[in-house]
Amino acid sequence: MKINIKEQNRERMPLEQQFEKVISPLQAFIHSQSSAGFLLLFATAIALFLANSSWHEHYVWLTNFNIGFIWGDNQLYHSAVDWVNEGLIVLFFFLLGLEIKFQVLAGELKDAKSSILAISMALGGMVVPALTYLMVMSVLGGSDWQGWGIVMATDTAFALGLLVLLGARVPKSVLVLITALAIVDDIGAVLVIGLFYTDNVSLLYLGYGAIVLAVMFIANLVGIRAVWFYLFSGLVLWWFVSHSGVHATTAGILAALTVPTKPLADTNWFAHSMERLIARFKRIDHHDKTILDQQKQHELAEAAEVIAKSATTPVQRWQSKLHSPISLLVLPLFALLNAGIVLPESSAEIMSMPVFWSCLLGLLIGKPLGIVLFSSLFIKLGWAEKPIDMQWRDFAALGCFAGIGFTMSLFITNLAFIGDIATIEKAKLGIICGSLLSAVLGFILFSKSEKPR
């Protein structure tokens, strides 16, 4: 329930009212769907500018700047880009794991029958782009076959942010489907990373990680909900997984699966407790005093927060708390340190880059083609139902927006061509161009809708 603060505080000081005029638009931006996509785009633009300007050496220095710790004769340090790609990005995968768990247990993927359309679209959006990548690579005579997983993922933040800008021209079913599709895409991407982009696995460290994971699951079963426990256990799990040869992001997904999904108290207890607390709050209230002058009211307000936490689930509460800092800080920082590629000086140089064209066409052509083909097949076979507010052009437009594979695609690129800087830069250029062209094509298709819906 939204509380109208303005109606409750009509006698504010002029300075406070002026400050609210400044801060309210900022708060609205932070909580809007498009803010994460906008900041990702802004960070990408800054990275490209720095990498292709006289500031290039400063940008390289920033990405390679070593950060670490020294204690006694020991030291632990890595470059800034490594800390982000191996450490901070794990928080994104943890949030992704929370969202996957919620969607499977209570969200769009709970009912297999109702989610079958999204699953079919996701399958098409993974299989056909990967085949497109391999086909283009074969036609152009390239040898970078291991990059087929780059074009499989969808960047939900970018896609949803841009779809929101289109407003009523986008059917509501599109927003639901692309969210569910992106979740299934991400599950597929995580499996691809774990199965195909992992080498030199240490069974000893994996065993240690399995023990920590088992402890976390047991803690869930016995009702432990303390944030510090899962934070500390998650860090230990991350340490063992990162040293096992399996990429550390797997720890983020696994840790999220252990987070409790049951509230400490039921809704009846919550309603009864809040009613009693509000009644006590009203009895001791003095209209001529603020809560600063009434310590008992302050204590009741804190008790209300404790009651609210008891009636909510950790998986929902933590997902809500982490969404903004990860979307507004971690992902833009990831883009800033990873999207700075040196653009080719001539078109002839671009034509001789098979990995560039494979990534670009995999996202631009493979994604919408796979989504339209698989969804139409499942609908014609009677395994799924076509939403009544969507036309077939909407499926193609949705497929174009699903071709925005920015964050996860950049991440998989680093794993697929580890150590090969030249190939990584070519692939990243293909991702950026493919994602941009996909967004433009999706905008054009939706903008030609006959009327807002």
Side-chain angles (χ1 to χ4, degrees), residues 239-255:
W239 177 264
F240 286 136
V241 171
S242 63
H243 284 76
S244 70
V246 177
H247 198 273
T249 52
T250 307
I253 294 287
L254 294 176

Side-chain angles (χ1 to χ4, degrees), residues 205-324:
Y205 278 104
L206 273 185
Y208 290 150
I211 294 173
V212 175
L213 188 64
V215 171
M216 296 176 73
F217 273 113
I218 294 172
N220 182 344
L221 293 176
V222 300
I224 294 178
R225 290 173 171 78
V227 175
W228 66 266
F229 173 81
Y230 291 95
L231 176 61
F232 176 76
S233 301
L235 286 173
V236 176
L237 178 63
W238 167 78
W239 177 264
F240 286 136
V241 171
S242 63
H243 284 76
S244 70
V246 177
H247 198 273
T249 52
T250 307
I253 294 287
L254 294 176
L257 299 182
T258 68
V259 175
T261 56
K262 293 182 179 180
L264 188 62
D266 59 30
T267 54
N268 290 330
W269 176 88
F270 170 75
H272 183 64
S273 299
M274 290 299 289
E275 287 171 358
R276 288 192 305 168
L277 190 146
I278 292 172
R280 290 177 59 192
F281 190 94
K282 289 180 177 180
R283 281 199 301 268
I284 64 175
D285 185 39
H286 296 281
H287 296 293
D288 58 337
K289 296 182 179 180
T290 67
I291 198 169
L292 182 64
D293 302 316
Q294 301 181 86
Q295 181 63 22
K296 287 292 184 182
Q297 279 191 326
H298 170 74
E299 293 173 359
L300 290 175
E302 287 189 328
E305 184 178 2
V306 174
I307 292 172
K309 285 184 178 180
S310 300
T312 58
T313 64
V315 71
Q316 291 171 294
R317 191 167 64 250
W318 299 357
Q319 186 178 348
S320 177
K321 294 289 186 182
L322 288 172
H323 185 270
S324 290

